Amino acid sequence: MMTSFYNILLPTDGSKYFLFNALQRSLMIVDQDIKDLLESKALEEIPIEIAKKFKDNGILIEDDHNEQEVYHYYYESRKYINQEASFHIITTYACNFSCEYCFEGKGIIASQHMDLKTAENVMRFIKDTTMRNNCRALNIQLYGGETLINFDIGYKILENLSQWAREIHIPFSAHAITNGSLITEDIANKLSAFHGSVLVTLDGPREIHDRRRFYKDGRGTFDDIIKGLIIAKRHGLEITIRVNVNKENYLHIPSLLNTLKLNDLNKAIISIKPVFDASPACISCPSRDRDGESDKENIAICDNLYNTAREEGFNTDDATGLPNLNVCGALHSQRFIVDPLGRLFKCAILPPHESFSVGAIDESGMPKCNSLFYKIMSRNPLTIDDCGSCKLTPICGSGCLAMSLYKYGEPNKKVCEKNYMMERLKNCCEFETSKRLSTR
Amino acid sequence: MRSSRFNIYYNSGPNRYLVYNTMNDAIIRIDDELENCMRNNSFEDVNEEYLSMLMQNGFVTSIDETSIFQLNINRLKYSGSLASFILIPTHRCNLNCTYCYQQSGTILTDTMDESTVLKVIKYIKRMAAKKTGITISLYGGEPLLEPDILLTIFKELKKYCDTEKKSLKITGTTNGTLLSENLMEKFKIYHVNDIQITFAGPKSVHDVKRAYKNGSGTYDRLIEVIRNLEKHKIDYRLRIDVDKENFSHIGELLDDLKDKLGKAPRISIQKVSYITVFNKHCDKQVAEVSEERMHELYSLAILKGYSTNTIALGNSRIGCGAIFDDTYTIAPNGDIYKCCSSVGIPEHRLGTIAEDGTLKDVNQEAYCKWALRNPLQFDECRSCEFAPMCFAGCAFHAYNKFGDINVPICNKEQYQDNIKTYLKDHYLNKWG
């Protein structure tokens, strides 16, 4: 018997310790004596009952057990999990907004629309990828720029693909990631046919939001978005409201929630995300690149706001509980972001940068992938810098792949934030423990 | 831009070449001028249309092929939509074959009991929950010694698959002797198909090598069974086991089968290997036939009008299920393994089925080791042009020989000729 390399001991607020295993994502609470026995490797002194539990939870392992091999298997196999094929389709790079923190260049760096011919190639590509990966569901996200500027093409794609999905008996879902200003009765009606949903950003009540998210001519967008959301709700679309938060606006978020309630939008799902100083940050990755102290504060702020939103009766999308084995969505083999030119990307924060494209769809709908694609897909955290000797690697996955590209021009470099992750992990352990206690 | 390192060039006639790409399973015919360009990686003078075709099919590439190969391997391993099980209802056998690596059901002797049958059903359903279908492949011992167990499992799985709209495919390996017409009728309800029955030579040789426990031969019985399979329209394949002793008699067998069945049945010719894991104390050792000889047999079979897929010969990518995700072997006692040949060896045991159909006493590492095995693990395979087909050879063979599945088994010599036979067989008009 030996102790797992991936055991992490963190002090609780009391006199005990969280014992978290990052490979098995198991959590136990131990007292000082047991902690000492584990650390001094005096394993034979651990009471048999406890030792058995430790074995079941991957805390204690056989002497010749190769944990890296286990991690490697899970990492590789997760890339090919084929429950759902998922595509973001950037129907246009153009945008009618000019938000201050836009990472896509406000529809100015690139402003192309997707034409019908490209859309047809894209549809062929999507069908082929879905089939080739044996996927059992198809999910399409209309994305931009502001996708509703070119909704005709978006709708054609949704119509065609939903029909196809019906024919081959797989579930189809459609979402529009939009700024919300262009939602009309017609658009909402059409989206509702796919049981669609919309994701719209509101950064505060009117006076705050309008300072951050405004039209090209500087006019505020808040009232138009609320109008759009009311239409969307009337047509039964599921609504997620993304709130980008930092020190400037967080005090005003309760007032935004109030406005939403007044407009009968209390069924919306609230998604509160920190705006990071350093980067176009990924919203789903547990390890993001945060250089500034203010980022940490922003995250704490978000946690508080989530609680407020829940108290106000909103649904929220925050993932609490223990961290998952982190295999970035960009690594999923049946997931792509397609831009108006038919270029392919693996992560939504990488377009329109040509050097981050992993290939393009040709006339026959076939993907022509370049070496970046294969580099990304061959990512293995055990071989990235010194991540192979880090206990956090299973739940971190060497950090954000897109950030590695932005920072180093190369996808497989370490984007590390060990201290922060440890802190976060403690919160997760506390939350998980209180959840377990309350369900007991 | 460079030529793929997976190109195998064959001079197919004056100034003509056939090129087979082992990674993309692509074939192209070229003239000696282009062959020269490809071999020397000089593409300046190559017509653009040709070049684009060469690139499209992977004969020429500008991407690091190891990373493509890695992706192909993993896609193959992990994106299957089926849960596959090799089911061993019993280790007992009614035959006493001279070269049996399980010693005719005398080393392992257990049969699945009733409570294990119920657990197995639960386990299979559980493992198939996120998949679109189930494949069951019968194995033994002799699986047809336990028709009731099989029919109980089939019935439950069919009910489950019908309700859940999943596919169910049942195949099996059997000595064939117990395949009565009555059983065939029942099997047809569950679409049991693609049954593999083994021959070891013409009657005079087969009856010695594959006899009942009382010593009498099984050849005539098998011919009768095969005729019945034809009558009931159940697909089957005849496996022909070859060693040094029966090698010279295989031609006679091929003639007799054609004669007795009125057509050339589907066959696969396999070399019998000596497996030390089980045969340590066995005095009768198998005299292994050489690769060249196997190759001659394939050519002979083709000559006699049999359709054999030479490219499948020794092709572990196609031949081995154990190195793929979501494939399991279920032993009679409810233990789970990856490879059916490794049953009974503790270090390859993945766990055992618990009452609720979950796995207990799990050996995660054993599973991962099998699922991860691939040619890019091995230095000698990484640069080998045949690696995409060979996949570092049989993992169990490696264990048998070296005590570890993570050692490559090299069959390089054999592949060059196998592919040539395949190309000649399927593209005869492109030669000369």
Side-chain angles (χ1 to χ4, degrees):
Chain A
M1 274 296 141
M2 58 181 198
T3 52
S4 163
F5 172 73
Y6 295 105
N7 290 342
I8 298 170
L9 282 153
L10 297 164
T12 64
D13 288 338
S15 58
K16 300 197 170 193
Y17 291 86
F18 292 118
L19 173 54
F20 176 72
N21 186 283
L23 179 61
Q24 307 294 347
R25 279 105 62 229
S26 62
L27 176 66
M28 303 176 82
I29 293 178
V30 296
D31 55 27
Q32 185 74 42
D33 296 349
I34 298 290
K35 171 181 179 271
D36 292 345
L37 291 177
L38 279 172
E39 283 181 341
S40 63
K41 314 259 185 236
L43 306 182
E44 63 287 352
E45 291 173 39
I46 296 175
I48 291 177
E49 297 256 303
I50 296 178
K52 186 179 179 308
K53 275 194 182 139
F54 281 176
K55 271 169 74 178
D56 290 346
N57 287 287
I59 308 290
L60 289 181
I61 56 174
E62 298 293 338
D63 283 337
D64 56 354
H65 190 77
N66 185 342
E67 290 185 294
Q68 291 213 339
E69 199 152 68
V70 174
Y71 172 58
H72 187 201
Y73 162 75
Y74 281 116
Y75 196 80
E76 285 304 328
S77 59
R78 289 296 184 283
K79 293 180 191 171
Y80 300 88
I81 279 187
N82 49 5
Q83 299 294 329
E84 181 181 80
S86 172
F87 302 88
H88 282 57
I89 302 174
I90 302 177
T91 55
T92 178
Y93 276 125
C95 189
N96 55 338
F97 278 23
S98 203
C99 309
E100 54 177 7
Y101 50 73
C102 178
F103 58 78
E104 261 185 33
K106 307 180 182 184
I108 297 166
I109 291 178
S111 59
Q112 301 93 331
H113 286 8
M114 185 178 283
D115 61 23
L116 188 58
K117 195 157 175 292
T118 308
E120 276 165 2
N121 295 337
V122 169
M123 289 187 279
R124 262 196 292 273
F125 164 71
I126 288 174
K127 291 173 191 175
D128 182 59
T129 307
T130 308
M131 295 296 273
R132 200 153 36 91
N133 290 293
N134 298 316
C135 295
R136 265 92 76 200
L138 176 59
N139 167 256
I140 301 294
Q141 317 240 3
L142 297 182
Y143 188 58
E146 171 42 47
T147 188
L148 299 186
I149 290 179
N150 193 15
F151 185 67
D152 285 354
I153 284 290
Y155 182 61
K156 276 203 175 79
I157 292 172
L158 294 183
E159 239 189 344
N160 181 299
L161 291 179
S162 66
Q163 170 69 26
W164 175 76
R166 236 190 331 270
E167 281 163 18
I168 65 162
H169 305 292
I170 61 171
F172 177 83
S173 55
H175 309 278
I177 300 165
T178 162
N179 63 32
S181 66
L182 300 171
I183 299 173
T184 61
E185 295 284 349
D186 179 50
I187 288 175
N189 184 35
K190 281 175 172 163
L191 283 175
S192 69
F194 312 112
H195 309 289
S197 67
V198 291
L199 183 131
V200 169
T201 301
L202 284 171
D203 277 357
R206 184 189 298 111
E207 61 281 13
I208 303 294
H209 172 93
D210 283 352
R211 250 188 272 150
R212 295 156 67 109
R213 299 181 65 83
F214 38 83
Y215 288 113
K216 287 269 185 289
D217 61 8
R219 276 182 303 126
T221 57
F222 187 85
D223 291 342
D224 291 343
I225 296 172
I226 293 290
K227 261 183 232 159
L229 289 178
I230 291 168
I231 295 171
K233 181 183 175 269
R234 194 156 58 231
H235 288 271
L237 298 179
E238 183 185 280
I239 297 169
T240 300
I241 294 172
R242 163 107 184 237
V243 186
N244 296 317
V245 170
N246 61 5
K247 272 185 287 187
E248 288 161 31
N249 66 346
Y250 80 97
L251 285 173
H252 305 276
I253 304 306
S255 155
L256 166 66
L257 296 176
N258 203 29
T259 310
L260 292 176
K261 277 167 90 173
L262 288 175
N263 285 289
D264 216 9
L265 290 166
N266 52 340
K267 289 270 159 58
I269 299 161
I270 303 293
S271 170
I272 297 167
K273 300 297 171 202
V275 184
F276 294 113
D277 291 348
S279 70
C282 175
I283 53 161
S284 55
C285 188
S287 161
R288 286 159 290 207
D289 187 67
R290 286 170 292 268
D291 296 333
E293 262 307 300
S294 61
D295 290 333
K296 272 186 195 170
E297 286 173 39
N298 288 344
I299 289 163
I301 288 167
C302 288
D303 287 347
N304 284 333
L305 287 176
Y306 265 127
N307 287 335
T308 311
R310 268 191 297 270
E311 281 159 19
E312 291 291 326
F314 287 92
N315 292 316
T316 57
D317 74 336
D318 51 336
T320 41
L322 295 174
N324 288 321
L325 190 111
N326 185 32
V327 182
C328 170
L331 293 167
H332 292 191
S333 65
Q334 69 296 349
R335 181 179 158 149
F336 286 95
I337 288 82
V338 191
D339 89 348
L341 310 174
R343 292 182 304 184
L344 297 169
F345 296 85
K346 286 300 284 171
C347 166
I349 66 169
L350 294 175
H353 306 292
E354 169 68 28
S355 61
F356 297 155
S357 159
V358 295
I361 302 169
D362 75 7
E363 304 283 298
S364 56
M366 289 298 287
K368 280 231 167 64
C369 290
N370 59 29
S371 48
L372 179 59
F373 173 73
Y374 293 99
K375 251 188 211 165
I376 289 176
M377 293 305 293
S378 66
R379 181 181 176 90
N380 174 5
L382 291 173
T383 61
I384 293 179
D385 301 317
D386 57 354
C387 298
S389 57
C390 176
K391 290 171 187 293
L392 290 168
T393 294
I395 55 170
C396 161
S398 296
C400 174
L401 183 156
M403 273 320 301
S404 170
L405 273 171
Y406 273 112
K407 263 177 120 163
Y408 308 108
E410 213 272 84
N412 296 332
K413 288 272 182 198
K414 173 176 76 164
V415 178
C416 183
E417 204 169 342
K418 200 168 177 170
N419 294 340
Y420 167 75
M421 281 204 69
M422 284 299 242
E423 206 172 294
R424 187 90 188 137
L425 184 59
K426 196 184 163 191
N427 291 345
C428 292
C429 290
E430 276 164 4
F431 186 90
E432 176 72 16
T433 316
S434 63
K435 195 170 78 187
R436 284 183 195 176
L437 285 174
S438 67
T439 53
R440 208 168 265 174
Chain B
M1 189 185 303
R2 56 185 307 281
S3 287
S4 166
R5 65 182 167 87
F6 299 111
N7 290 344
I8 318 282
Y9 299 85
Y10 292 93
N11 191 311
S12 59
N15 311 329
R16 296 229 163 270
Y17 285 83
L18 278 178
V19 188
Y20 180 73
N21 187 287
T22 56
M23 185 159 76
N24 301 298
D25 191 21
I27 299 161
I28 198 164
R29 186 167 67 154
I30 56 174
D31 60 18
D32 55 347
E33 220 173 290
L34 188 53
E35 188 254 0
N36 199 25
C37 295
M38 285 172 72
R39 283 207 200 249
N40 294 313
N41 288 317
S42 63
F43 301 101
E44 303 83 47
D45 301 330
V46 178
N47 171 325
E48 207 167 290
E49 195 187 326
Y50 282 1
L51 197 56
S52 127
M53 192 154 64
L54 288 171
M55 289 195 72
Q56 212 161 28
N57 292 287
F59 292 103
V60 173
T61 177
S62 54
I63 298 170
D64 166 35
E65 284 189 295
T66 302
S67 62
I68 303 180
F69 188 24
Q70 177 86 64
L71 180 82
N72 289 347
I73 289 170
N74 289 334
R75 180 170 278 153
L76 209 59
K77 278 178 184 280
Y78 302 118
S79 63
S81 55
L82 304 173
S84 301
F85 305 89
I86 293 175
L87 178 65
I88 304 179
T90 180
H91 276 119
R92 292 187 305 119
C93 188
N94 59 331
L95 300 195
N96 192 20
C97 303
T98 54
Y99 58 98
C100 178
Y101 79 95
Q102 299 180 352
Q103 297 211 16
S104 313
T106 56
I107 307 175
L108 301 168
T109 56
D110 52 339
T111 295
M112 205 172 270
D113 61 26
E114 251 173 72
S115 72
T116 308
V117 169
L118 298 179
K119 286 193 282 188
V120 165
I121 293 166
K122 280 185 197 161
Y123 173 73
I124 294 176
K125 287 182 189 173
R126 197 178 266 272
M127 299 308 281
K130 285 185 174 170
K131 297 282 161 179
T132 59
I134 296 172
T135 70
I136 301 285
S137 178
L138 305 179
Y139 196 66
E142 170 46 45
L144 303 190
L145 277 172
E146 299 297 338
D148 292 345
I149 292 178
L150 299 181
L151 293 171
T152 306
I153 294 174
F154 294 172
K155 190 178 167 193
E156 282 304 312
L157 291 184
K158 185 170 191 304
K159 207 158 62 180
Y160 169 75
C161 287
D162 286 350
T163 321
E164 300 286 324
K165 295 198 175 66
K166 292 183 195 289
S167 65
L168 176 63
K169 189 174 174 232
I170 303 170
T171 66
T173 300
T174 165
N175 64 38
T177 54
L178 299 167
L179 202 44
S180 64
E181 282 200 73
N182 181 12
L183 195 55
M184 286 183 200
E185 287 291 354
K186 286 176 181 157
F187 274 9
K188 273 158 74 177
I189 301 171
Y190 306 105
H191 309 292
V192 178
N193 228 322
D194 199 13
I195 291 170
Q196 178 181 290
I197 294 174
T198 303
F199 280 83
K203 182 171 165 57
S204 60
V205 180
H206 176 95
D207 280 351
V208 175
K209 284 187 168 292
R210 300 185 66 82
Y212 287 108
K213 291 266 195 267
N214 67 12
S216 62
T218 58
Y219 191 87
D220 292 337
R221 169 63 183 154
L222 292 189
I223 296 293
E224 184 191 345
V225 165
I226 292 164
R227 283 182 177 143
N228 286 337
L229 286 169
E230 288 280 350
K231 191 168 95 187
H232 289 276
K233 294 193 170 51
I234 297 175
D235 273 350
Y236 63 92
R237 186 159 34 98
L238 306 184
R239 174 187 164 120
I240 300 175
D241 281 345
V242 183
D243 60 18
K244 267 189 182 153
E245 290 170 9
N246 69 359
F247 167 76
S248 57
H249 302 277
I250 302 302
E252 194 190 324
L253 168 67
L254 295 175
D255 288 339
D256 194 50
L257 287 174
K258 253 174 88 173
D259 186 41
K260 294 236 159 61
L261 302 171
K263 67 171 193 182
R266 261 198 322 149
I267 56 167
S268 75
I269 307 173
Q270 304 283 339
K271 176 166 103 163
V272 180
S273 298
Y274 174 63
I275 299 183
T276 51
V277 182
F278 293 101
N279 281 7
K280 267 178 201 138
H281 311 293
C282 180
D283 50 354
K284 285 173 283 187
Q285 292 196 3
V286 173
E288 266 186 56
V289 71
S290 70
E291 299 298 341
E292 291 78 21
R293 292 275 147 149
M294 288 301 293
H295 191 70
E296 283 171 33
L297 281 185
Y298 264 87
S299 301
L300 181 71
I302 290 162
L303 216 66
K304 288 185 184 292
Y306 282 82
S307 141
T308 60
N309 190 356
T310 331
I311 213 120
L313 187 62
N315 192 330
S316 293
R317 180 176 65 186
I318 305 171
C320 178
I323 56 168
F324 291 82
D325 215 7
D326 301 309
T327 62
Y328 307 90
T329 297
I330 305 173
N333 63 355
D335 282 355
I336 303 295
Y337 296 82
K338 286 293 279 177
C339 164
C340 61
S341 297
S342 71
V343 170
I345 305 172
E347 67 178 281
H348 294 302
R349 200 183 76 136
L350 311 178
T352 193
I353 308 175
E355 290 302 325
D356 62 352
T358 58
L359 212 57
K360 64 178 183 188
D361 302 332
V362 179
N363 183 348
Q364 247 181 345
E365 190 197 347
Y367 182 91
C368 297
K369 198 168 178 178
W370 279 92
L372 282 171
R373 189 181 193 268
N374 76 84
L376 289 173
Q377 284 174 301
F378 311 117
D379 286 339
E380 46 276 67
C381 302
R382 225 171 281 140
S383 58
C384 176
E385 63 271 39
F386 298 105
M389 311 172 64
C390 167
F391 255 58
C394 168
F396 187 70
H397 190 171
Y399 175 76
N400 185 37
K401 218 166 156 178
F402 304 107
D404 184 3
I405 67 166
N406 280 340
V407 182
I409 294 291
C410 185
N411 300 306
K412 199 166 177 166
E413 302 296 315
Q414 167 193 353
Y415 282 103
Q416 186 86 22
D417 282 346
N418 287 350
I419 297 168
K420 190 171 179 181
T421 309
Y422 169 76
L423 293 177
K424 277 195 165 164
D425 185 23
H426 293 263
Y427 301 92
L428 191 60
N429 56 349
K430 301 280 192 295
W431 291 82

